[in-house]
Amino acid sequence: MSREKKKHNRRGLFILLCIAAFLVSFIGSAIFKVSYTSPAQAAYTVDWSDEIGTVYTDLSYGDGEANKFDLYVPAECTEESYSLVVYIHAGGFTTGDKADDEGILQWLCSKGYVAAGINYTLRDEDHPDASVYSQSMEIKSSISAVVEAAAELGYNLDAMAIGGGSAGGTLAMLYAYRDADESPIPVTLLFEAVGPSSFYAEDWTSYGLDQDAEAAAYLFSVMAGTEITADMLGTEEYEEAIRPISGYMWVTENSVPTVCAYGAYDKVCPFESAKWLVNALEENGVAHTYIEFPHSGHALQNDNKLYLQYMQTIEEYLAAYLPVE
């Protein structure tokens, strides 16, 4: 075997290892949920019953098998209008389900909100063309169907917040920052944890992407749903290619108030990538609270007091920017 062929094979193996590390790590991230349970968080769980609300499962918003959502509505439909809170599930864009988040959706409904958990087409063997971009467009298309379904049940919606964790955090910020102007109802708030908002090889060191441009180009091509070459990295052309999936790039002075949380030891959503979102919020003067977990990784598992602070801050922002009448 020639030296050049050996070099090519080694590079191909390195790329595959990088991609495998990404997929394994992000599939493992499905354990992340905002419904993380600890004794201090009893206030953010409810004993669900008909006295609190009703859930309608697997409502359709498109033709795809995964184009389904669950809708949680308060038991008493007595108000002229209601607010919607959407929560997008985690799972590394490759796994996870809306049912994983029934805890936080039930809690939101108990607060008087109409709540929705939305599925999207996962990238897997059956859907090799699914990407972060295609998933974000599915979420974008789903909101009108959610609003219409609520109206059919007698719950007229006039404003909304959107949140998520990990992959769901990325999809939530894309809707809140990129697509809010086209939303059927005004978006007033975003809350998310450990969602990647930027895709620069130098930040994704935990996957070795800073060491191999070919690996970085391949992985980010998969995520963006468009061809990216190694030569494009660091150019304006690359910026345009990743813009559709980079939440921080869509932040402006008019962006919605934001609560976000990241773990300093996160290797799944590399911690260095979080700075792009935080800097964008600060530079544009967007009302926000950023909570850094100094001892935690992707699951925010080692800073229970800060996790409680994160949930309390979400509750405070909901009261301020999406109050229940």
Side-chain angles (χ1 to χ4, degrees), residues 173 177 192 197 248 251 262 273-281:
M173 74 176 77
Y177 299 147
E192 67 88 17
S197 73
Y248 94 91
V251 175
Y262 289 87
S273 67
K275 68 177 183 286
W276 295 94
L277 174 60
V278 177
N279 288 344
L281 293 169

Side-chain angles (χ1 to χ4, degrees), residues 66-144:
N67 295 158
K68 308 288 186 182
F69 64 94
D70 294 345
L71 194 65
Y72 295 71
V73 296
E76 295 185 6
C77 183
T78 57
E79 304 296 331
E80 291 185 7
S81 62
Y82 288 80
S83 295
L84 169 71
V85 183
V86 171
Y87 192 81
I88 311 298
H89 72 77
F93 311 106
T94 62
T95 188
D97 188 270
K98 53 187 170 50
D100 299 337
D101 299 310
E102 69 173 9
I104 189 170
L105 292 165
Q106 290 172 351
W107 172 73
L108 288 163
C109 185
S110 74
K111 300 284 290 183
Y113 297 104
V114 172
I118 302 173
N119 275 357
Y120 46 91
T121 302
L122 303 172
R123 183 180 176 87
D124 55 25
E125 292 182 357
D126 295 327
H127 306 95
D129 295 327
S131 65
V132 177
Y133 178 70
S134 67
Q135 292 166 351
S136 73
M137 296 305 290
E138 289 183 353
I139 296 300
K140 180 180 179 180
S141 71
S142 73
I143 304 302
S144 292

Side-chain angles (χ1 to χ4, degrees), residues 155-306:
Y155 298 81
N156 296 311
L157 304 177
D158 60 3
M160 67 173 284
I162 189 166
S166 191
T170 295
L171 298 174
M173 74 176 77
L174 289 172
Y175 189 83
Y177 299 147
R178 189 192 68 191
D179 301 328
D181 288 346
E182 299 177 63
S183 178
I185 53 176
V187 183
T188 67
L189 169 65
L190 164 71
F191 60 95
E192 67 88 17
V194 299
S197 73
S198 63
F199 302 92
Y200 295 112
E202 60 267 28
D203 296 330
W204 289 62
T205 57
S206 52
Y207 303 101
L209 300 187
D210 59 321
Q211 300 296 315
D212 195 296
E214 295 287 346
Y218 181 83
L219 179 56
F220 294 150
S221 293
V222 167
M223 300 180 82
T226 189
E227 183 179 4
I228 293 173
T229 65
D231 293 339
M232 290 169 59
L233 299 180
T235 68
E236 290 186 9
E237 185 180 7
Y238 179 71
E239 296 283 315
E240 287 303 309
I242 62 170
R243 177 176 169 79
I245 63 168
S246 300
Y248 94 91
M249 290 188 178
W250 297 91
V251 175
T252 71
E253 61 183 10
N254 297 318
S255 292
V256 298
T258 298
V259 180
C260 55
Y262 289 87
Y265 286 92
D266 196 340
K267 303 299 183 184
V268 178
C269 168
F271 181 61
E272 284 299 309
S273 67
K275 68 177 183 286
W276 295 94
L277 174 60
V278 177
N279 288 344
L281 293 169
E282 291 176 351
E283 290 172 1
N284 285 278
V286 178
H288 71 283
T289 297
Y290 164 57
I291 302 175
E292 185 173 306
F293 288 56
H295 307 106
S296 296
H298 195 62
L300 304 180
Q301 71 277 27
N302 296 327
D303 297 279
N304 286 342
K305 290 183 178 179
L306 288 175

Side-chain angles (χ1 to χ4, degrees), residues 1-15 212 214:
M1 183 182 295
S2 70
R3 181 178 299 178
E4 188 63 30
K5 189 172 183 180
K6 288 181 179 179
K7 181 179 179 181
H8 176 77
N9 288 344
R10 284 197 300 270
R11 170 155 291 184
L13 178 60
F14 182 78
I15 292 173
D212 195 296
E214 295 287 346

Side-chain angles (χ1 to χ4, degrees), residues 298-316:
H298 195 62
L300 304 180
Q301 71 277 27
N302 296 327
D303 297 279
N304 286 342
K305 290 183 178 179
L306 288 175
Y307 204 100
L308 182 59
Q309 179 184 336
Y310 173 61
M311 292 301 296
Q312 290 171 336
T313 305
I314 291 172
E315 192 170 20
E316 291 168 2

Side-chain angles (χ1 to χ4, degrees), residues 18-52:
C18 289
I19 304 309
F22 171 81
L23 292 176
V24 169
S25 296
F26 256 112
I27 288 172
S29 78
I31 64 171
F32 173 85
K33 298 180 181 67
V34 168
S35 56
Y36 177 90
T37 55
S38 73
Q41 297 201 14
Y44 301 101
T45 61
V46 297
D47 293 324
W48 184 255
S49 70
D50 292 342
E51 294 181 358
I52 295 174

